Amino acid sequence: MHIMEGYLPATHCAGWFAASAPFMVGGAVRLRRIVAERPQSKMTLAAAGAFTFVLSALKMPSVTGSCSHPTGTGLGAVVFGPGVMAVLGTIVLLFQALLLAHGGLTTLGANVFSMAIVGPWVSWAVWRLAGKLGASIAVAVFLAAALGDLATYATTSVQLALAYPDPASGIVGAVLKFGGIYAVTQVPLAIAEGLLTVVVMNALSGRAGKADEIRVLSGEEQ
Amino acid sequence: MSPVDRVAHLNRWRHRSLIEKAMLALGMLILAVLLPPFPAAAVIAVIMTAAALLGARVPVSVWLACAAGPLGFLLSGAISLVVQIDANGLALAPGGLTAAAGLVARSVAALTCLLFLALTTPATDLVAGLRRCGLPAEIAEMALLTYRFLFLLADTAMSMDAAQAARLGHVGARRRLSSLGSLIANLLPRAIDRARRLEIGLAARGWEGEMRVLTETRPISIAGVTLVLALEAGTAALGVVMS
């Protein structure tokens, strides 16, 4: 869920930029190393970034009947790994602000934190954990994508609540208010995206030929 | 694919210097976020809307279409400032309307700044500008390559989608979901294939891992910069004095 331009006060904008910075720099350093070792992976990474952007331009049927779009964070985290997703996600969010007026420049730090850092890391952790616990691949992928989306949505609600706490019940009340308003669209979206990611991974697993290139991106193979 | 990108390349201020446009949009954006919303936000919103619609001649329909999405988010979010949760459940928050009005004003002002920048300046120019401000070359290059791939992949995705629709792939939510799943699953290998083909093509031409492209730098007009600075100083003074 994108926080729009100008929604957060200046101090919060700066704070979220500062919180995202270590991940962005870490991702950038990692990305520079991958690119320095194999210049050809530059193309693959760019294609992966563009792929993530295009996902967000596709319409997805959601349970409430309203159309929403997949975020691709879960898929990206499982396929490419969360480290690289921080940089790709930042580039994608910048282009979403500039090409679709989705999100904003002052709120870029906050959006990067919820969508390019928290979402992918949660998805990736859930995916690893579910795999270790012996869940089937379909269940693990569903949980990774759906919980990644829910984590993003929860983070956004907390970000909004920190900026605008409830006069009576403080930040907790504000989290409930913002969470409640956006739950109508975000919870069905998470479920739909979970199902969608399962369909995608099922179809992708029949194409193991490309696995080596993807593994290079996620840093598993040097 | 993106009407924003088309307008960014075709508007009347396309060939004005990046520095002037960025100074106007980012300067006003910073003022919108920093100054108390009344009356600065109204002034900023009027100036930036006029700059986009009258100055750069951005089509009103595109401008409105871009503003609609964020405004929906804004209005639903503003509701939660009006109400509060206490022991008795939901109630109207004291001063909630003022807080919500301030939030709406500031966000609308900031949105007009973003729309101005997005609709008058192509994203490639902005990335080139960021590069000059110290963004590492690899990241800037990655962003430009991503931008290039984005339109190629979007074209592919759109034709896949049309093909599915023509074969009743959009009938019912269940089939829609599985169609979209197979679209995405086919798109990723194609994207990676495409990247590999591009890379082989470049390698065959002796590419060594750096892309050099011509970028046009426009002369900065002193009058433009002065006007921008005067407008911003005026808005800042007004915002501080009047509030």
Side-chain angles (χ1 to χ4, degrees):
Chain A
M1 190 167 64
H2 297 73
I3 301 179
M4 76 173 287
E5 187 69 271
Y7 204 89
L8 296 178
T11 46
H12 287 256
C13 297
W16 290 114
F17 267 109
S20 305
F23 294 92
M24 281 151 76
V25 171
V29 167
R30 189 191 174 93
L31 198 140
R32 282 175 92 158
R33 211 179 47 225
I34 295 178
V35 169
E37 276 168 17
R38 347 175 142 222
Q40 64 270 31
S41 63
K42 210 181 258 181
M43 300 293 164
T44 321
L45 281 165
F51 173 74
T52 314
F53 180 96
V54 170
L55 280 194
S56 69
L58 297 169
K59 293 268 183 294
M60 180 166 70
S62 188
V63 185
T64 41
S66 71
C67 266
S68 25
H69 62 81
T71 60
T73 27
L75 185 63
V78 170
V79 177
F80 306 125
V84 171
M85 272 307 279
V87 181
L88 290 185
T90 307
I91 294 176
V92 168
L93 285 167
L94 181 67
F95 281 141
Q96 281 176 336
L98 293 174
L99 295 177
L100 304 172
H102 239 85
L105 301 177
T106 55
T107 53
L108 187 65
N111 285 333
V112 165
F113 192 81
S114 70
M115 274 180 284
I117 296 169
V118 173
W121 276 104
V122 167
S123 287
W124 185 80
V126 169
W127 158 251
R128 280 290 163 100
L129 190 71
K132 281 213 178 97
L133 293 178
S136 71
I137 289 182
V139 172
V141 168
F142 174 80
L143 288 178
L147 293 180
D149 267 16
L150 287 176
T152 300
Y153 147 68
T155 311
T156 310
S157 301
V158 170
Q159 286 171 333
L160 293 174
L162 285 175
Y164 301 102
D166 191 274
S169 49
I171 289 167
V172 180
V175 170
L176 289 177
K177 282 193 302 186
F178 283 110
I181 288 175
Y182 295 115
V184 183
T185 55
Q186 296 299 313
V187 172
L189 175 92
I191 295 169
E193 174 142 22
L195 294 172
L196 177 71
T197 312
V198 173
V199 176
V200 174
M201 288 301 276
N202 270 340
L204 268 181
S205 61
R207 304 164 176 274
K210 300 289 178 289
D212 52 336
E213 276 145 75
I214 289 168
R215 219 173 291 133
V216 170
L217 296 187
S218 60
E220 283 175 29
E221 187 189 273
Q222 290 297 326
Chain B
M1 179 203 67
S2 160
V4 178
D5 194 59
R6 195 170 54 237
V7 172
H9 279 96
L10 292 176
N11 71 84
R12 208 165 62 137
W13 282 2
R14 164 74 178 86
H15 295 298
R16 292 203 86 100
S17 130
L18 171 68
I19 296 179
E20 283 171 56
K21 288 185 285 189
M23 260 174 62
L24 179 61
L26 299 180
M28 285 296 191
L29 182 60
I30 291 169
L31 288 181
V33 175
L34 285 182
L35 290 176
F38 302 108
V43 176
I44 292 170
V46 169
I47 292 176
M48 297 311 288
T49 310
L53 299 183
L54 304 177
R57 298 271 165 83
V58 169
V60 181
S61 57
V62 176
W63 191 89
L64 282 176
C66 291
L71 287 181
F73 172 88
L74 177 60
L75 295 181
S76 53
I79 294 174
S80 71
L81 263 70
V82 179
V83 298
Q84 68 172 6
I85 298 179
D86 52 26
N88 309 319
L90 284 179
L92 274 182
L97 275 178
T98 328
L103 169 67
V104 170
R106 189 182 69 209
S107 301
V108 168
L111 179 65
T112 56
C113 300
L114 175 68
L115 289 181
F116 171 81
L117 191 65
L119 289 168
T120 58
T121 318
T124 41
D125 287 12
L126 291 171
V127 173
L130 281 177
R131 171 80 192 88
R132 266 184 270 159
C133 298
L135 185 75
E138 289 89 345
I139 308 292
E141 203 159 84
M142 187 75 61
L144 290 175
L145 279 172
T146 305
Y147 178 81
R148 175 74 190 119
F149 270 113
L150 210 128
F151 293 94
L152 293 174
L153 286 186
D155 266 355
T156 314
M158 293 308 146
S159 44
M160 283 166 143
D161 190 61
Q164 288 181 337
R167 289 163 182 77
L168 302 182
H170 290 181
V171 178
R174 201 187 165 89
R175 196 182 291 180
R176 226 190 141 121
L177 195 70
S178 77
S179 293
L180 185 58
S182 64
L183 189 160
I184 294 173
N186 279 300
L187 193 63
L188 180 60
R190 270 175 202 235
I192 291 173
D193 258 354
R194 191 145 208 168
R196 166 166 275 186
R197 288 209 305 274
L198 187 60
E199 166 206 311
I200 292 173
L202 284 167
R205 288 160 181 78
W207 179 56
E208 287 172 335
E210 196 182 356
M211 300 223 173
R212 289 176 174 274
V213 287
L214 267 181
T215 45
E216 285 176 273
T217 38
R218 304 281 169 194
I220 305 167
S221 91
I222 303 293
V225 172
T226 319
L227 182 66
V228 167
L229 286 179
L231 273 175
E232 283 170 2
T235 310
L238 192 76
V240 171
V241 172
M242 295 270 287
S243 58

